[in-house]
Amino acid sequence: MNNRHPSSFLFDVVIAGAGPVGLLLACELRLAGVSVRVLEQAENPHLALKKLPFGMRGLTLPTIEAFYRRGLLDALTAARREAKPAGQVRRQAGHFAGIPFDYDRIDSSKWAYRLPSPADSNMAAEMERIETALADRAQAIGVEVRRGVRLEAFAQSADWVTIQAGDQSFEGRWLVGCDGGRSMVRKAGGFSFVGTDPEFTGYSVQVDLADPEKLKLGRQLTPTGMYFQTQPGHFGMVEFDGGASHRAGPITLAHVQAVLRRISQTDVTLTALHVATSWTDRAQQATEYRRGRVLLAGDAAHIHSPLGGQGLNLGLGDAMNLGWKLAATIRGDAPDGLLDSYFTERHPIGERVLAWSRAQVSIMRPGPHARAMEAIIRDLIATRDGATYFADRVWNASMRYDLGGGHTLAGGSAPDFEWTDGTRLAALLADGRGLLIDFDHRAALRSIARRWGDRVKYVEGDVKDRLGLTALLVRPDGIVAWACEGEANLEDAIEAGSRWFAVRDSR
Ligand SMILES: Cc1cc2nc3c(=O)[nH]c(=O)nc-3n(C[C@H](O)[C@H](O)[C@H](O)COP(=O)(O)OP(=O)(O)OC[C@H]3O[C@@H](n4cnc5c(N)ncnc54)[C@H](O)[C@@H]3O)c2cc1C
């Protein structure tokens, strides 16, 4: 493609894909003041698979906090939000390969820096609702979303990326592929994508049954796979065929019936097929998230089995991490290495999620070895330490970037402090700027915040519970960059902040 000089239509960032990750990234970039165009190949965002029951998505703590901090949590309130555990009533708090763990076994003292907050540890929301909330926000803050326009090709030069979409050609300073698991941006951009091949084909289907009494509700592990019937006629199914049936042809009623018969080992009969899609447990991750001016986020950067309910959360975490860093790079106020930290922080989190999904597949395999391992996991998950461990992993409650030392909180999510006037930390983060929080009202810290101009707000005042801390520096994505108990070492604060915010030239 001819890499001509940019026309007047030069966007700071062009995003391929208006899925949840592309939309959240667009909102984060726009919040930070850069121009964004999103291209989405689908004309219509409303698909049956995005609605309940198939569109149900489990959201984990970092995702819920992200929505809360950007004022988007209320938009999801009609979702089936899980109530808090009551007394000693045992309630399921999550699962590992379908093995449940209960709230009343979880030792929440593990999360010493968590404060009571409207951001719950886990909740469920409909995909359509998530995308609608993000699309509405994107539109309200001036993101241009073009639906029915497919990114066909691109070519990058040193300063911009020329994009071919439909019959148009235009430029962006940066291109981000949020175009899902089969990402065109990843393939055309020359990113390598490595990992493990699938062991099964999974299906989400809605059918009518002639003899519904033959299949139980709930999750059933069988000698050939697994099926779960969430409500009559709505099935998830897994057949260990090495992924051979995935995209091998159209998913017909006859095929679904044959699979369901093999898995359930019954002669169940289907009379209608309403909705069908397939997926696998292929687990792959890009070895780089950036090549020149082209970046990847979400499923474009990593894929794995959906059974653990982590992919969306992982992708939204990418968007929160990348948005402010890319915007600072574009504005010219990013310190050296800021954009590279997107990969160094997010790739290990992705690796961990892929490993977690493989571990779940390994104990779902048909056969005595997997059953033996499953029995051990069942015993462990029923203990207090076990349930706490699994809750921590499934909710991603201790997610922490390795910032190379400092306070235990550094690299982790900032506690949702509540000031005595009722203001919460989340509200202070709504405009996407960093925070230098000073519980001891020290003039020196106020002057440090000024070094970083309007990218960091200085906040003082008394909070209801300061958790023994005297000061914190919080990044725009809500991650603690620096924290201190006792007398603040100002040099440490300056050094920590300089990694994330370039010093503003005061001339
Ligand atoms: C059955 C199932 C259940 C799941 N349950 C959960 C769960 O409980 N929790 C969880 O965290 N995750 C879950 N996931 C995973 C989650 O849905 C995905 O990880 C998430 O949708 C990825 O978001 P994304 O924006 O990266 O990609 P996508 O949602 O795939 O969006 C990509 C978008 O890019 C568009 N696009 C593609 N190519 C182009 C192009 N060339 N030009 C323009 N547009 C393009 C597509 O049309 C699409 O709209 C589940 C997945 C499945 C299949």
Side-chain angles (χ1 to χ4, degrees), residues 106-117:
I106 296 167
D107 177 8
S108 54
S109 66
K110 175 177 173 62
W111 303 294
Y113 288 101
R114 280 217 68 199
L115 287 167
S117 161

Side-chain angles (χ1 to χ4, degrees), residues 308-320:
Q310 304 262 343
L312 171 63
N313 293 289
L314 184 58
L316 294 174
D318 293 345
M320 284 300 286

Side-chain angles (χ1 to χ4, degrees), residues 205-223:
V205 295
Q206 183 189 351
V207 296
D208 290 342
L209 300 166
D211 37 14
E213 69 286 353
K214 288 188 175 158
L215 300 177
K216 295 181 192 155
L217 283 174
R219 180 176 179 276
Q220 316 296 330
L221 267 183
T222 75

